[in-house]
Amino acid sequence: MTAAPRTDEEVPGWVRDLGLPGLADIHVHFMPDRVLRKVWAFFDRAEEHYGRPWPITYRTDERTRLATLRALGLRAVPALSYPHRPGMAEWLNDWSAGFARRVPDAVHCATLYPEPGAGDYVRRALAEGARLVKTHVQVGGFAPDDPLLDDAWAALAEAGTPVVMHAGPGPVRRLLEAHPGLVLVVAHLGMPEYHAFADLAEEFDRVHLDTTMAGTDFTEAFAPLPDGFRERLAGLREKIVLGSDFPNIPYPYAHQLEALARLDLGEEWLRAVLWDNGARLLGLPAR
């Protein structure tokens, strides 16, 4: 197998050598500038929150960030955002719709929050073309199975729209039992409850896991992949989707790809994870 990339400049050649048309990364953030700056300010105080620094590698303007992703080989650019209080989700959805209109290769994204009318604005976002949804229950401080979200989840399950989610395995199981048609993409391979989320991916046909930050040197220092998990990743080849958390990562993008390559699960596994699975969820062409 071709040596994994060590720098961003090496990524496009490595991807071509794998026979892929590009990268299908499902976990990329673009959001209103004032919101993104608040996110960066949070990570600037990471030693208070996590006990270790978290430098933002791609702290650049929107145009530069888009150019960086295109140079890396992303063929579609998600714009994931998430609210932390009521009344914010619909405003973020309006911004995301505008981003999708002005950025030709953008993935039109949406978000939600448990509040009256959530089902209505989710249905409106879907009607306007949203094809990927993000929710972060820890940041929002809510349970994914909150009854105020029932109509929104029903709409997303009916549409088959993928939802990238941060949550605990227990609440996710309850959500899936209520809405088994949901297409869920659990962020970070479910870190740190890796095996519990692998159980869900094996049990529910439409549950996927994204690779965001998993296996990197940064993450292995505090939430290492557990014994036996590498073998489970091999068996879940069709359920594992490339995610990066760009731009809010404390290392070069190439390191995420290097971390996946050093799992040593083979080129077909990499091709499925880096392109096939994400392309299927995002509606991109098959290779």
Side-chain angles (χ1 to χ4, degrees):
M1 182 162 51
T2 305
R6 305 298 294 271
T7 68
D8 286 0
E9 291 73 21
E10 294 174 350
V11 169
W14 182 71
V15 170
R16 284 194 301 271
D17 288 346
L18 283 170
L20 297 178
L23 296 170
D25 185 343
I26 204 165
H27 199 137
V28 171
H29 295 285
F30 280 86
M31 55 188 73
D33 186 66
R34 62 177 173 166
V35 177
L36 185 59
R37 291 186 182 281
K38 288 182 179 179
V39 172
W40 287 346
F42 177 85
F43 286 117
D44 287 342
R45 300 173 60 187
E47 288 187 86
E48 298 176 31
H49 304 303
Y50 304 114
R52 59 182 302 166
W54 188 310
I56 302 296
T57 302
Y58 299 95
R59 195 193 299 255
T60 57
D61 60 54
E62 182 183 282
R63 179 177 296 182
T64 302
R65 281 180 274 126
L66 285 168
T68 297
L69 291 172
R70 291 164 181 156
L72 285 164
L74 270 69
R75 293 292 173 260
V77 179
L80 300 182
S81 62
Y82 44 89
H84 60 271
R85 55 177 170 77
M88 189 176 177
E90 193 167 8
W91 170 69
L92 286 171
N93 288 349
D94 289 342
W95 184 91
S96 297
F99 182 85
R101 286 192 295 269
R102 63 186 170 82
V103 178
D105 48 349
V107 177
H108 184 168
C109 296
T111 188
L112 46 75
Y113 193 88
E115 55 194 337
D120 293 335
Y121 65 66
V122 166
R123 290 179 187 278
R124 183 163 59 253
L126 293 174
E128 292 174 354
R131 51 196 177 101
L132 182 64
V133 171
K134 173 64 186 292
T135 181
H136 199 318
V137 304
Q138 290 94 340
V139 169
F142 62 89
D145 56 342
D146 189 307
L148 286 169
L149 289 172
D150 279 348
D151 188 39
W153 293 134
L156 291 166
E158 180 182 2
T161 304
V163 180
V164 178
M165 176 179 285
H166 297 72
V172 170
R173 176 175 291 280
R174 293 196 299 271
L175 175 64
L176 290 166
E177 288 170 349
H179 301 279
L182 276 172
V183 180
L184 288 189
V185 182
V186 177
H188 304 281
L189 297 181
M191 177 197 318
E193 296 158 302
Y194 296 106
H195 280 300
F197 277 107
D199 290 343
L200 290 177
E202 290 171 351
E203 183 176 345
F204 292 90
D205 289 343
R206 306 187 101 186
V207 172
H208 303 72
L209 311 175
D210 86 29
T211 65
T212 300
M213 300 188 74
T216 63
D217 293 347
F218 183 85
T219 302
E220 285 292 289
F222 64 89
L225 299 178
D227 291 344
F229 194 70
R230 178 179 165 278
E231 291 75 17
R232 299 193 77 178
L233 289 176
L236 287 167
R237 186 177 78 181
E238 307 306 317
K239 297 289 199 79
I240 310 300
V241 186
L242 175 63
S244 66
D245 237 351
F246 179 96
N248 308 324
I249 46 178
Y251 44 74
Y253 190 102
H255 182 53
Q256 178 69 79
L257 305 180
E258 179 188 18
L260 296 175
R262 69 189 181 190
L263 292 172
D264 198 25
L265 293 174
E267 290 191 359
E268 276 306 309
W269 188 87
L270 282 173
R271 283 189 274 267
V273 171
L274 300 181
W275 181 261
D276 296 345
N277 302 336
R280 183 178 67 250
L281 292 175
L282 296 173
L284 303 177
R287 58 181 164 98

PDB file of all heavy atoms in Angstrom, residues 48-80:
ATOM      1  N   GLU A  48      -8.400  24.632  30.241  1.00  0.00           N
ATOM      2  CA  GLU A  48      -9.381  24.709  31.325  1.00  0.00           C
ATOM      3  C   GLU A  48     -10.437  23.622  31.182  1.00  0.00           C
ATOM      4  O   GLU A  48     -10.891  23.032  32.166  1.00  0.00           O
ATOM      5  CB  GLU A  48     -10.072  26.073  31.323  1.00  0.00           C
ATOM      6  CG  GLU A  48      -9.163  27.261  31.559  1.00  0.00           C
ATOM      7  CD  GLU A  48      -9.920  28.561  31.441  1.00  0.00           C
ATOM      8  OE1 GLU A  48     -11.137  28.573  31.766  1.00  0.00           O
ATOM      9  OE2 GLU A  48      -9.322  29.559  31.005  1.00  0.00           O
ATOM     10  N   HIS A  49     -10.850  23.364  29.928  1.00  0.00           N
ATOM     11  CA  HIS A  49     -11.944  22.419  29.677  1.00  0.00           C
ATOM     12  C   HIS A  49     -11.473  20.966  29.627  1.00  0.00           C
ATOM     13  O   HIS A  49     -12.165  20.066  30.115  1.00  0.00           O
ATOM     14  CB  HIS A  49     -12.635  22.761  28.356  1.00  0.00           C
ATOM     15  CG  HIS A  49     -13.142  24.162  28.272  1.00  0.00           C
ATOM     16  ND1 HIS A  49     -14.027  24.678  29.179  1.00  0.00           N
ATOM     17  CD2 HIS A  49     -12.881  25.162  27.385  1.00  0.00           C
ATOM     18  CE1 HIS A  49     -14.312  25.936  28.862  1.00  0.00           C
ATOM     19  NE2 HIS A  49     -13.618  26.244  27.781  1.00  0.00           N
ATOM     20  N   TYR A  50     -10.299  20.740  29.016  1.00  0.00           N
ATOM     21  CA  TYR A  50      -9.838  19.376  28.755  1.00  0.00           C
ATOM     22  C   TYR A  50      -8.503  19.037  29.410  1.00  0.00           C
ATOM     23  O   TYR A  50      -8.059  17.892  29.347  1.00  0.00           O
ATOM     24  CB  TYR A  50      -9.705  19.143  27.242  1.00  0.00           C
ATOM     25  CG  TYR A  50     -10.960  19.404  26.454  1.00  0.00           C
ATOM     26  CD1 TYR A  50     -11.017  20.456  25.539  1.00  0.00           C
ATOM     27  CD2 TYR A  50     -12.094  18.610  26.619  1.00  0.00           C
ATOM     28  CE1 TYR A  50     -12.172  20.704  24.803  1.00  0.00           C
ATOM     29  CE2 TYR A  50     -13.238  18.849  25.890  1.00  0.00           C
ATOM     30  CZ  TYR A  50     -13.277  19.899  24.983  1.00  0.00           C
ATOM     31  OH  TYR A  50     -14.416  20.147  24.279  1.00  0.00           O
ATOM     32  N   GLY A  51      -7.846  20.040  29.986  1.00  0.00           N
ATOM     33  CA  GLY A  51      -6.554  19.789  30.606  1.00  0.00           C
ATOM     34  C   GLY A  51      -5.402  19.715  29.646  1.00  0.00           C
ATOM     35  O   GLY A  51      -4.298  19.276  30.014  1.00  0.00           O
ATOM     36  N   ARG A  52      -5.633  20.140  28.414  1.00  0.00           N
ATOM     37  CA  ARG A  52      -4.560  20.126  27.406  1.00  0.00           C
ATOM     38  C   ARG A  52      -4.880  21.161  26.346  1.00  0.00           C
ATOM     39  O   ARG A  52      -6.057  21.463  26.086  1.00  0.00           O
ATOM     40  CB  ARG A  52      -4.429  18.742  26.774  1.00  0.00           C
ATOM     41  CG  ARG A  52      -5.676  18.239  26.088  1.00  0.00           C
ATOM     42  CD  ARG A  52      -5.487  16.844  25.541  1.00  0.00           C
ATOM     43  NE  ARG A  52      -4.378  16.801  24.622  1.00  0.00           N
ATOM     44  CZ  ARG A  52      -3.806  15.668  24.181  1.00  0.00           C
ATOM     45  NH1 ARG A  52      -4.261  14.509  24.630  1.00  0.00           N
ATOM     46  NH2 ARG A  52      -2.808  15.696  23.344  1.00  0.00           N
ATOM     47  N   PRO A  53      -3.872  21.724  25.703  1.00  0.00           N
ATOM     48  CA  PRO A  53      -4.123  22.724  24.654  1.00  0.00           C
ATOM     49  C   PRO A  53      -4.753  22.093  23.419  1.00  0.00           C
ATOM     50  O   PRO A  53      -4.577  20.907  23.145  1.00  0.00           O
ATOM     51  CB  PRO A  53      -2.738  23.293  24.351  1.00  0.00           C
ATOM     52  CG  PRO A  53      -1.781  22.240  24.789  1.00  0.00           C
ATOM     53  CD  PRO A  53      -2.425  21.535  25.944  1.00  0.00           C
ATOM     54  N   TRP A  54      -5.507  22.908  22.683  1.00  0.00           N
ATOM     55  CA  TRP A  54      -6.182  22.461  21.466  1.00  0.00           C
ATOM     56  C   TRP A  54      -6.042  23.582  20.420  1.00  0.00           C
ATOM     57  O   TRP A  54      -6.979  24.338  20.182  1.00  0.00           O
ATOM     58  CB  TRP A  54      -7.657  22.192  21.758  1.00  0.00           C
ATOM     59  CG  TRP A  54      -8.445  21.549  20.666  1.00  0.00           C
ATOM     60  CD1 TRP A  54      -8.525  21.911  19.356  1.00  0.00           C
ATOM     61  CD2 TRP A  54      -9.325  20.416  20.817  1.00  0.00           C
ATOM     62  NE1 TRP A  54      -9.386  21.102  18.673  1.00  0.00           N
ATOM     63  CE2 TRP A  54      -9.886  20.167  19.545  1.00  0.00           C
ATOM     64  CE3 TRP A  54      -9.683  19.620  21.903  1.00  0.00           C
ATOM     65  CZ2 TRP A  54     -10.808  19.137  19.336  1.00  0.00           C
ATOM     66  CZ3 TRP A  54     -10.592  18.597  21.679  1.00  0.00           C
ATOM     67  CH2 TRP A  54     -11.141  18.358  20.417  1.00  0.00           C
ATOM     68  N   PRO A  55      -4.883  23.713  19.812  1.00  0.00           N
ATOM     69  CA  PRO A  55      -4.690  24.777  18.822  1.00  0.00           C
ATOM     70  C   PRO A  55      -5.500  24.513  17.557  1.00  0.00           C
ATOM     71  O   PRO A  55      -5.579  23.376  17.074  1.00  0.00           O
ATOM     72  CB  PRO A  55      -3.193  24.724  18.533  1.00  0.00           C
ATOM     73  CG  PRO A  55      -2.801  23.310  18.847  1.00  0.00           C
ATOM     74  CD  PRO A  55      -3.678  22.876  19.983  1.00  0.00           C
ATOM     75  N   ILE A  56      -6.117  25.541  17.021  1.00  0.00           N
ATOM     76  CA  ILE A  56      -6.903  25.413  15.789  1.00  0.00           C
ATOM     77  C   ILE A  56      -5.949  25.511  14.602  1.00  0.00           C
ATOM     78  O   ILE A  56      -5.355  26.562  14.340  1.00  0.00           O
ATOM     79  CB  ILE A  56      -7.973  26.518  15.704  1.00  0.00           C
ATOM     80  CG1 ILE A  56      -8.893  26.476  16.912  1.00  0.00           C
ATOM     81  CG2 ILE A  56      -8.768  26.388  14.405  1.00  0.00           C
ATOM     82  CD1 ILE A  56      -9.721  25.232  17.047  1.00  0.00           C
ATOM     83  N   THR A  57      -5.791  24.427  13.862  1.00  0.00           N
ATOM     84  CA  THR A  57      -4.830  24.402  12.762  1.00  0.00           C
ATOM     85  C   THR A  57      -5.260  25.275  11.597  1.00  0.00           C
ATOM     86  O   THR A  57      -4.421  25.903  10.940  1.00  0.00           O
ATOM     87  CB  THR A  57      -4.625  22.956  12.282  1.00  0.00           C
ATOM     88  OG1 THR A  57      -4.175  22.165  13.387  1.00  0.00           O
ATOM     89  CG2 THR A  57      -3.587  22.879  11.159  1.00  0.00           C
ATOM     90  N   TYR A  58      -6.556  25.352  11.332  1.00  0.00           N
ATOM     91  CA  TYR A  58      -7.040  26.047  10.133  1.00  0.00           C
ATOM     92  C   TYR A  58      -7.842  27.291  10.516  1.00  0.00           C
ATOM     93  O   TYR A  58      -8.975  27.470  10.078  1.00  0.00           O
ATOM     94  CB  TYR A  58      -7.849  25.087   9.261  1.00  0.00           C
ATOM     95  CG  TYR A  58      -7.027  23.906   8.798  1.00  0.00           C
ATOM     96  CD1 TYR A  58      -7.056  22.698   9.500  1.00  0.00           C
ATOM     97  CD2 TYR A  58      -6.181  24.012   7.701  1.00  0.00           C
ATOM     98  CE1 TYR A  58      -6.281  21.617   9.102  1.00  0.00           C
ATOM     99  CE2 TYR A  58      -5.401  22.942   7.288  1.00  0.00           C
ATOM    100  CZ  TYR A  58      -5.451  21.752   7.996  1.00  0.00           C
ATOM    101  OH  TYR A  58      -4.676  20.689   7.597  1.00  0.00           O
ATOM    102  N   ARG A  59      -7.233  28.133  11.318  1.00  0.00           N
ATOM    103  CA  ARG A  59      -7.873  29.374  11.742  1.00  0.00           C
ATOM    104  C   ARG A  59      -7.646  30.423  10.639  1.00  0.00           C
ATOM    105  O   ARG A  59      -6.807  31.319  10.751  1.00  0.00           O
ATOM    106  CB  ARG A  59      -7.307  29.852  13.074  1.00  0.00           C
ATOM    107  CG  ARG A  59      -8.162  30.943  13.763  1.00  0.00           C
ATOM    108  CD  ARG A  59      -7.375  31.588  14.909  1.00  0.00           C
ATOM    109  NE  ARG A  59      -7.025  30.618  15.924  1.00  0.00           N
ATOM    110  CZ  ARG A  59      -7.619  30.524  17.114  1.00  0.00           C
ATOM    111  NH1 ARG A  59      -8.587  31.351  17.447  1.00  0.00           N
ATOM    112  NH2 ARG A  59      -7.233  29.620  17.993  1.00  0.00           N
ATOM    113  N   THR A  60      -8.411  30.305   9.576  1.00  0.00           N
ATOM    114  CA  THR A  60      -8.270  31.187   8.425  1.00  0.00           C
ATOM    115  C   THR A  60      -9.652  31.687   8.005  1.00  0.00           C
ATOM    116  O   THR A  60     -10.671  31.264   8.565  1.00  0.00           O
ATOM    117  CB  THR A  60      -7.615  30.451   7.247  1.00  0.00           C
ATOM    118  OG1 THR A  60      -8.399  29.287   6.915  1.00  0.00           O
ATOM    119  CG2 THR A  60      -6.196  30.001   7.585  1.00  0.00           C
ATOM    120  N   ASP A  61      -9.689  32.581   7.026  1.00  0.00           N
ATOM    121  CA  ASP A  61     -10.976  33.090   6.579  1.00  0.00           C
ATOM    122  C   ASP A  61     -11.700  32.039   5.744  1.00  0.00           C
ATOM    123  O   ASP A  61     -11.125  31.027   5.339  1.00  0.00           O
ATOM    124  CB  ASP A  61     -10.816  34.405   5.806  1.00  0.00           C
ATOM    125  CG  ASP A  61      -9.951  34.265   4.565  1.00  0.00           C
ATOM    126  OD1 ASP A  61     -10.229  33.387   3.716  1.00  0.00           O
ATOM    127  OD2 ASP A  61      -8.983  35.040   4.436  1.00  0.00           O
ATOM    128  N   GLU A  62     -12.982  32.276   5.500  1.00  0.00           N
ATOM    129  CA  GLU A  62     -13.815  31.285   4.818  1.00  0.00           C
ATOM    130  C   GLU A  62     -13.271  30.917   3.447  1.00  0.00           C
ATOM    131  O   GLU A  62     -13.218  29.733   3.077  1.00  0.00           O
ATOM    132  CB  GLU A  62     -15.244  31.822   4.692  1.00  0.00           C
ATOM    133  CG  GLU A  62     -16.202  30.849   4.041  1.00  0.00           C
ATOM    134  CD  GLU A  62     -17.581  31.433   3.865  1.00  0.00           C
ATOM    135  OE1 GLU A  62     -18.330  31.492   4.865  1.00  0.00           O
ATOM    136  OE2 GLU A  62     -17.906  31.841   2.731  1.00  0.00           O
ATOM    137  N   ARG A  63     -12.852  31.899   2.675  1.00  0.00           N
ATOM    138  CA  ARG A  63     -12.343  31.610   1.327  1.00  0.00           C
ATOM    139  C   ARG A  63     -11.121  30.699   1.389  1.00  0.00           C
ATOM    140  O   ARG A  63     -11.004  29.755   0.600  1.00  0.00           O
ATOM    141  CB  ARG A  63     -11.996  32.918   0.618  1.00  0.00           C
ATOM    142  CG  ARG A  63     -11.431  32.713  -0.782  1.00  0.00           C
ATOM    143  CD  ARG A  63     -11.162  34.034  -1.471  1.00  0.00           C
ATOM    144  NE  ARG A  63     -12.393  34.783  -1.695  1.00  0.00           N
ATOM    145  CZ  ARG A  63     -12.437  35.952  -2.319  1.00  0.00           C
ATOM    146  NH1 ARG A  63     -11.309  36.519  -2.760  1.00  0.00           N
ATOM    147  NH2 ARG A  63     -13.580  36.563  -2.503  1.00  0.00           N
ATOM    148  N   THR A  64     -10.229  30.956   2.326  1.00  0.00           N
ATOM    149  CA  THR A  64      -9.022  30.127   2.450  1.00  0.00           C
ATOM    150  C   THR A  64      -9.378  28.719   2.897  1.00  0.00           C
ATOM    151  O   THR A  64      -8.810  27.734   2.395  1.00  0.00           O
ATOM    152  CB  THR A  64      -8.044  30.773   3.436  1.00  0.00           C
ATOM    153  OG1 THR A  64      -7.718  32.095   2.987  1.00  0.00           O
ATOM    154  CG2 THR A  64      -6.765  29.964   3.555  1.00  0.00           C
ATOM    155  N   ARG A  65     -10.312  28.611   3.817  1.00  0.00           N
ATOM    156  CA  ARG A  65     -10.717  27.274   4.268  1.00  0.00           C
ATOM    157  C   ARG A  65     -11.338  26.468   3.130  1.00  0.00           C
ATOM    158  O   ARG A  65     -11.074  25.267   2.981  1.00  0.00           O
ATOM    159  CB  ARG A  65     -11.694  27.389   5.442  1.00  0.00           C
ATOM    160  CG  ARG A  65     -10.988  27.680   6.765  1.00  0.00           C
ATOM    161  CD  ARG A  65     -11.946  27.807   7.924  1.00  0.00           C
ATOM    162  NE  ARG A  65     -12.478  29.159   8.045  1.00  0.00           N
ATOM    163  CZ  ARG A  65     -13.756  29.476   8.083  1.00  0.00           C
ATOM    164  NH1 ARG A  65     -14.685  28.517   7.989  1.00  0.00           N
ATOM    165  NH2 ARG A  65     -14.142  30.720   8.216  1.00  0.00           N
ATOM    166  N   LEU A  66     -12.155  27.103   2.317  1.00  0.00           N
ATOM    167  CA  LEU A  66     -12.728  26.405   1.163  1.00  0.00           C
ATOM    168  C   LEU A  66     -11.630  25.964   0.197  1.00  0.00           C
ATOM    169  O   LEU A  66     -11.647  24.823  -0.298  1.00  0.00           O
ATOM    170  CB  LEU A  66     -13.729  27.314   0.446  1.00  0.00           C
ATOM    171  CG  LEU A  66     -15.075  27.500   1.147  1.00  0.00           C
ATOM    172  CD1 LEU A  66     -15.853  28.642   0.492  1.00  0.00           C
ATOM    173  CD2 LEU A  66     -15.901  26.217   1.112  1.00  0.00           C
ATOM    174  N   ALA A  67     -10.677  26.838  -0.060  1.00  0.00           N
ATOM    175  CA  ALA A  67      -9.586  26.494  -0.976  1.00  0.00           C
ATOM    176  C   ALA A  67      -8.764  25.332  -0.421  1.00  0.00           C
ATOM    177  O   ALA A  67      -8.324  24.443  -1.171  1.00  0.00           O
ATOM    178  CB  ALA A  67      -8.705  27.718  -1.214  1.00  0.00           C
ATOM    179  N   THR A  68      -8.567  25.316   0.898  1.00  0.00           N
ATOM    180  CA  THR A  68      -7.809  24.226   1.522  1.00  0.00           C
ATOM    181  C   THR A  68      -8.500  22.888   1.312  1.00  0.00           C
ATOM    182  O   THR A  68      -7.869  21.890   0.938  1.00  0.00           O
ATOM    183  CB  THR A  68      -7.648  24.497   3.024  1.00  0.00           C
ATOM    184  OG1 THR A  68      -6.887  25.702   3.211  1.00  0.00           O
ATOM    185  CG2 THR A  68      -6.942  23.349   3.720  1.00  0.00           C
ATOM    186  N   LEU A  69      -9.807  22.848   1.540  1.00  0.00           N
ATOM    187  CA  LEU A  69     -10.548  21.594   1.382  1.00  0.00           C
ATOM    188  C   LEU A  69     -10.553  21.128  -0.064  1.00  0.00           C
ATOM    189  O   LEU A  69     -10.412  19.923  -0.347  1.00  0.00           O
ATOM    190  CB  LEU A  69     -11.972  21.766   1.893  1.00  0.00           C
ATOM    191  CG  LEU A  69     -12.108  21.934   3.406  1.00  0.00           C
ATOM    192  CD1 LEU A  69     -13.537  22.297   3.775  1.00  0.00           C
ATOM    193  CD2 LEU A  69     -11.680  20.668   4.137  1.00  0.00           C
ATOM    194  N   ARG A  70     -10.718  22.046  -0.988  1.00  0.00           N
ATOM    195  CA  ARG A  70     -10.710  21.669  -2.404  1.00  0.00           C
ATOM    196  C   ARG A  70      -9.344  21.133  -2.814  1.00  0.00           C
ATOM    197  O   ARG A  70      -9.256  20.156  -3.569  1.00  0.00           O
ATOM    198  CB  ARG A  70     -11.118  22.867  -3.253  1.00  0.00           C
ATOM    199  CG  ARG A  70     -12.588  23.245  -3.086  1.00  0.00           C
ATOM    200  CD  ARG A  70     -12.889  24.623  -3.607  1.00  0.00           C
ATOM    201  NE  ARG A  70     -14.302  24.991  -3.411  1.00  0.00           N
ATOM    202  CZ  ARG A  70     -14.750  26.229  -3.337  1.00  0.00           C
ATOM    203  NH1 ARG A  70     -13.898  27.257  -3.438  1.00  0.00           N
ATOM    204  NH2 ARG A  70     -16.036  26.461  -3.158  1.00  0.00           N
ATOM    205  N   ALA A  71      -8.285  21.736  -2.306  1.00  0.00           N
ATOM    206  CA  ALA A  71      -6.942  21.261  -2.619  1.00  0.00           C
ATOM    207  C   ALA A  71      -6.695  19.867  -2.046  1.00  0.00           C
ATOM    208  O   ALA A  71      -5.985  19.051  -2.646  1.00  0.00           O
ATOM    209  CB  ALA A  71      -5.902  22.246  -2.089  1.00  0.00           C
ATOM    210  N   LEU A  72      -7.279  19.577  -0.903  1.00  0.00           N
ATOM    211  CA  LEU A  72      -7.152  18.253  -0.301  1.00  0.00           C
ATOM    212  C   LEU A  72      -7.902  17.191  -1.101  1.00  0.00           C
ATOM    213  O   LEU A  72      -7.586  16.005  -1.011  1.00  0.00           O
ATOM    214  CB  LEU A  72      -7.681  18.273   1.132  1.00  0.00           C
ATOM    215  CG  LEU A  72      -6.786  18.952   2.167  1.00  0.00           C
ATOM    216  CD1 LEU A  72      -7.572  19.265   3.435  1.00  0.00           C
ATOM    217  CD2 LEU A  72      -5.577  18.072   2.504  1.00  0.00           C
ATOM    218  N   GLY A  73      -8.929  17.604  -1.848  1.00  0.00           N
ATOM    219  CA  GLY A  73      -9.671  16.665  -2.674  1.00  0.00           C
ATOM    220  C   GLY A  73     -11.106  16.432  -2.280  1.00  0.00           C
ATOM    221  O   GLY A  73     -11.754  15.525  -2.813  1.00  0.00           O
ATOM    222  N   LEU A  74     -11.652  17.243  -1.356  1.00  0.00           N
ATOM    223  CA  LEU A  74     -13.079  17.088  -1.033  1.00  0.00           C
ATOM    224  C   LEU A  74     -13.911  17.467  -2.251  1.00  0.00           C
ATOM    225  O   LEU A  74     -13.711  18.527  -2.844  1.00  0.00           O
ATOM    226  CB  LEU A  74     -13.469  17.962   0.163  1.00  0.00           C
ATOM    227  CG  LEU A  74     -13.323  17.287   1.534  1.00  0.00           C
ATOM    228  CD1 LEU A  74     -11.853  17.064   1.877  1.00  0.00           C
ATOM    229  CD2 LEU A  74     -14.013  18.097   2.610  1.00  0.00           C
ATOM    230  N   ARG A  75     -14.858  16.617  -2.592  1.00  0.00           N
ATOM    231  CA  ARG A  75     -15.715  16.872  -3.749  1.00  0.00           C
ATOM    232  C   ARG A  75     -17.043  17.494  -3.340  1.00  0.00           C
ATOM    233  O   ARG A  75     -17.842  17.878  -4.187  1.00  0.00           O
ATOM    234  CB  ARG A  75     -15.960  15.563  -4.514  1.00  0.00           C
ATOM    235  CG  ARG A  75     -14.695  15.031  -5.175  1.00  0.00           C
ATOM    236  CD  ARG A  75     -14.251  15.957  -6.308  1.00  0.00           C
ATOM    237  NE  ARG A  75     -12.965  15.580  -6.868  1.00  0.00           N
ATOM    238  CZ  ARG A  75     -11.811  16.156  -6.586  1.00  0.00           C
ATOM    239  NH1 ARG A  75     -11.777  17.163  -5.704  1.00  0.00           N
ATOM    240  NH2 ARG A  75     -10.690  15.751  -7.128  1.00  0.00           N
ATOM    241  N   ALA A  76     -17.280  17.590  -2.046  1.00  0.00           N
ATOM    242  CA  ALA A  76     -18.458  18.275  -1.503  1.00  0.00           C
ATOM    243  C   ALA A  76     -18.075  18.789  -0.130  1.00  0.00           C
ATOM    244  O   ALA A  76     -17.312  18.145   0.593  1.00  0.00           O
ATOM    245  CB  ALA A  76     -19.651  17.336  -1.422  1.00  0.00           C
ATOM    246  N   VAL A  77     -18.597  19.960   0.221  1.00  0.00           N
ATOM    247  CA  VAL A  77     -18.186  20.627   1.456  1.00  0.00           C
ATOM    248  C   VAL A  77     -19.386  20.776   2.389  1.00  0.00           C
ATOM    249  O   VAL A  77     -20.230  21.662   2.185  1.00  0.00           O
ATOM    250  CB  VAL A  77     -17.579  22.010   1.150  1.00  0.00           C
ATOM    251  CG1 VAL A  77     -17.175  22.707   2.452  1.00  0.00           C
ATOM    252  CG2 VAL A  77     -16.378  21.880   0.216  1.00  0.00           C
ATOM    253  N   PRO A  78     -19.520  19.921   3.410  1.00  0.00           N
ATOM    254  CA  PRO A  78     -20.572  20.122   4.404  1.00  0.00           C
ATOM    255  C   PRO A  78     -20.356  21.419   5.177  1.00  0.00           C
ATOM    256  O   PRO A  78     -19.230  21.914   5.296  1.00  0.00           O
ATOM    257  CB  PRO A  78     -20.425  18.904   5.324  1.00  0.00           C
ATOM    258  CG  PRO A  78     -19.709  17.880   4.506  1.00  0.00           C
ATOM    259  CD  PRO A  78     -18.774  18.677   3.651  1.00  0.00           C
ATOM    260  N   ALA A  79     -21.440  21.961   5.702  1.00  0.00           N
ATOM    261  CA  ALA A  79     -21.377  23.181   6.521  1.00  0.00           C
ATOM    262  C   ALA A  79     -22.126  22.914   7.819  1.00  0.00           C
ATOM    263  O   ALA A  79     -23.157  23.524   8.097  1.00  0.00           O
ATOM    264  CB  ALA A  79     -21.968  24.365   5.766  1.00  0.00           C
ATOM    265  N   LEU A  80     -21.602  22.009   8.617  1.00  0.00           N
ATOM    266  CA  LEU A  80     -22.280  21.615   9.846  1.00  0.00           C
ATOM    267  C   LEU A  80     -22.232  22.741  10.874  1.00  0.00           C
ATOM    268  O   LEU A  80     -21.196  23.367  11.094  1.00  0.00           O
ATOM    269  CB  LEU A  80     -21.624  20.368  10.442  1.00  0.00           C
ATOM    270  CG  LEU A  80     -21.618  19.105   9.575  1.00  0.00           C
ATOM    271  CD1 LEU A  80     -20.981  17.958  10.348  1.00  0.00           C
ATOM    272  CD2 LEU A  80     -23.013  18.737   9.118  1.00  0.00           C
TER     273      LEU A  80
END
